Amino acid sequence: SEQKIVKAGDKDLDGQLDFEEFVHYLQDHEKKLRLVFKSLDKKNDGRIDAQEIVQSLRDLGVKISEQQAEKILKSMDKNGTMTIDWNEWRDYHLLHPVENIPEIILYWKHSTIFDVGENLTVPDEFTVEERQTGMWWRHLVAGGGAGAVSRTCTAPLDRLKVLMQVHASRSNNMCIVGGFTQMIREGGPRSLWRGNGINVLKIAPESAIKFMAYEQIKRFIGTDQEMLRIHERLLAGSLAGAIAQSSIYPMEVLKTRMALRKTGQYSGMLDCAKNILLKEGMAAFYKGYIPNMLGIIPYAGIDLAVYETLKNTWLQRYAVNSADPGVFVLLACGTISSTCGQLASYPLALVRTRMQAQASVEGAPEVTMRGLFKHILKTEGAFGLYRGLAPNFMKVIPAVSISYVVYENLKMTLGV
């Protein structure tokens, strides 16, 4: 706590707090505490009771029992009334910079920094203070930078996944080592990163569109909560994801075609786009659009539901003295929930990729989503819908870990 106070108040970065800096820290911190107190005081009677703590946390997706809320109250309640007034709240928290309700929520906020190269996650929510101070765009920049680094580091596994989704079959049982060997033999070590350029390039427009759409949908839902409840987040997040994906979908098709290209086939992404437009027409840029849209709901829904379940289980069992779960628990929850979401939506992702990869041949019938599902089940069985799953899961843990480390460092650099 003492180190955090010094870090928060040390304006001249000399590692020490002088009297002026300490006074400034206290004034600034007291303003924040006043805002938190008002948001918790649902009855507007100047006191907080156990039910108000339970309700406030429940509104933000954290479930605790009334007994746990009473434990929180007892630690602050000086006069034994089992309620806390402003003075008790301020005195307890003024020199405890971490142990307050919004920080507990921020610890647990399911964030898009867990970037595993999929584009179906629910956007971040930002507090009123973050929006007013402009901190939100720094979070988005840090998240975008983290996504770019993690995608670049795991790009070889991502390309292998695409190749296995499109080319692997019963007769061509491509394995991980064989796939890497084939890629290097065909185009050298650099070929492992084919398609990564556009995969990184689409992070910025997609994040921006998703965030703006999410904010507008929240207003349309008409909620008076600063942060949405779980089902509202799922609805708003899925719709925002659908809008963002619709806007940048041609880049998705380009990414797949660039990942599958042979050496010398295209000179770059613009040449690839030009070739597709001339030979296949504008409609080719929306191949696989329907399974992609259908994949958003199971991915985002299961991802959020699993994360919330793991979070609440941890809080119920282990949050005795502190609600800070630590980095390892957060990464584990993010990794497991993301993996479950991918597992549920994977068949749709595979069909989408095969449709994106399909170059139209004159006179050949157009492959539909239903037709492709039937064909895969008939020729390869249910297992055929999960081709490429192994490299996809192999990249989850490194992608989440790299994202987290880069995100935290970028936040510090940007002054968040």
Side-chain angles (χ1 to χ4, degrees):
S1 292
E2 289 81 357
Q3 287 174 344
K4 282 182 178 287
I5 291 168
V6 171
K7 196 172 178 183
D10 185 16
K11 300 294 177 190
D12 56 12
L13 304 176
D14 63 352
Q16 294 181 327
L17 277 187
D18 58 32
F19 181 72
E20 195 177 329
E21 285 173 331
F22 185 59
V23 169
H24 186 270
Y25 161 78
L26 291 177
Q27 288 172 337
D28 188 48
H29 198 52
E30 191 169 322
K31 280 181 199 169
K32 292 176 186 173
L33 290 174
R34 175 73 76 176
L35 289 170
V36 178
F37 186 82
K38 282 183 179 175
S39 71
L40 287 171
D41 183 16
K42 303 282 185 191
K43 298 170 189 168
N44 291 320
D45 59 357
R47 308 190 77 79
I48 299 170
D49 59 30
Q51 285 180 331
E52 286 173 317
I53 289 177
V54 170
Q55 186 57 50
S56 296
L57 285 169
R58 195 162 286 165
D59 290 344
L60 298 170
V62 178
K63 292 175 189 169
I64 65 167
S65 64
E66 202 156 321
Q67 288 78 15
Q68 286 173 309
E70 284 171 5
K71 276 186 190 175
I72 295 171
L73 274 179
K74 277 178 188 171
S75 66
M76 299 180 239
D77 181 23
K78 289 179 181 175
N79 52 16
T81 59
M82 286 309 290
T83 60
I84 44 175
D85 59 22
W86 161 243
N87 290 329
E88 287 172 321
W89 172 265
R90 182 197 58 205
D91 292 349
Y92 179 82
H93 284 291
L94 211 51
L95 296 175
H96 290 73
V98 178
E99 319 247 342
N100 56 54
I101 301 297
E103 293 246 345
I104 292 170
I105 304 309
L106 290 174
Y107 275 133
W108 280 109
K109 189 169 67 172
H110 190 15
S111 171
T112 51
I113 62 145
F114 298 123
D115 190 331
V116 289
E118 299 295 327
N119 310 290
L120 310 171
T121 41
V122 177
D124 275 332
E125 287 187 75
F126 298 105
T127 61
V128 172
E129 189 185 3
E130 282 172 327
R131 286 200 290 268
Q132 286 173 349
T133 57
M135 281 295 173
W136 64 271
W137 70 262
R138 297 185 194 188
H139 280 279
L140 288 182
V141 169
V149 175
S150 78
R151 288 186 192 195
T152 302
C153 292
T154 57
L157 284 166
D158 196 55
R159 186 178 179 221
L160 179 62
K161 177 192 79 172
V162 173
L163 286 171
M164 289 173 82
Q165 284 178 331
V166 175
H167 296 308
S169 63
R170 274 181 179 163
S171 57
N172 176 26
N173 194 14
M174 189 187 288
C175 67
I176 290 167
V177 176
F180 278 127
T181 307
Q182 193 179 313
M183 284 191 282
I184 293 168
R185 194 182 295 139
E186 192 274 330
R190 277 187 67 186
S191 68
L192 297 174
W193 277 267
R194 279 182 191 164
N196 183 57
I198 198 154
N199 198 28
V200 168
L201 205 63
K202 65 187 174 69
I203 292 173
E206 192 195 19
S207 299
I209 294 164
K210 195 189 282 184
F211 173 70
M212 288 188 286
Y214 189 65
E215 290 299 305
Q216 293 304 316
I217 293 162
K218 273 170 68 174
R219 289 196 187 96
F220 182 74
I221 289 172
T223 178
D224 59 351
Q225 298 294 333
E226 189 177 295
M227 296 200 187
L228 301 184
R229 292 180 176 89
I230 302 307
H231 66 279
E232 292 171 332
R233 276 202 85 185
L234 176 58
L235 174 64
S238 298
L239 288 172
I243 291 165
Q245 283 279 287
S246 300
S247 307
I248 60 108
Y249 194 75
M251 295 176 86
E252 289 282 344
V253 176
L254 269 178
K255 177 234 168 184
T256 300
R257 294 291 182 92
M258 292 291 284
L260 292 168
R261 81 186 191 275
K262 290 183 170 60
T263 303
Q265 190 174 351
Y266 307 117
S267 60
M269 62 182 80
L270 290 175
D271 184 46
C272 178
K274 187 179 161 188
N275 266 275
I276 295 170
L277 191 62
L278 291 173
K279 291 177 183 174
E280 303 171 52
M282 193 64 201
F285 288 107
Y286 281 89
K287 282 182 175 179
Y289 177 78
I290 292 171
N292 189 68
M293 290 298 112
L294 292 175
I296 288 174
I297 295 169
Y299 184 101
I302 289 168
D303 187 19
L304 261 182
V306 171
Y307 187 85
E308 291 303 315
T309 304
L310 292 171
K311 174 183 79 175
N312 287 321
T313 303
W314 190 91
L315 283 168
Q316 290 287 350
R317 290 190 182 179
Y318 305 110
V320 181
N321 300 317
S322 170
D324 173 10
V327 172
F328 180 76
V329 175
L330 284 179
L331 290 182
C333 290
T335 304
I336 293 166
S337 64
S338 178
T339 302
C340 292
Q342 287 189 70
L343 194 61
S345 63
Y346 195 83
L348 285 160
L350 180 133
V351 167
R352 173 202 69 193
T353 305
R354 286 207 183 176
M355 290 176 78
Q356 288 173 343
Q358 195 103 29
S360 62
V361 180
E362 271 189 61
E366 188 67 35
V367 179
T368 63
M369 180 182 81
R370 196 175 169 189
L372 203 49
F373 264 116
K374 278 185 175 177
H375 173 73
I376 293 168
L377 288 169
K378 189 178 176 183
T379 57
E380 300 176 54
F383 181 76
L385 293 170
Y386 287 90
R387 298 273 179 204
L389 192 65
N392 190 58
F393 278 176
M394 281 170 69
K395 72 173 186 168
V396 171
I397 292 174
V400 167
S401 306
I402 293 163
S403 283
Y404 188 86
V405 171
V406 176
Y407 180 73
E408 288 302 312
N409 281 289
L410 281 174
K411 277 206 308 182
M412 285 168 67
T413 305
L414 293 167
V416 177

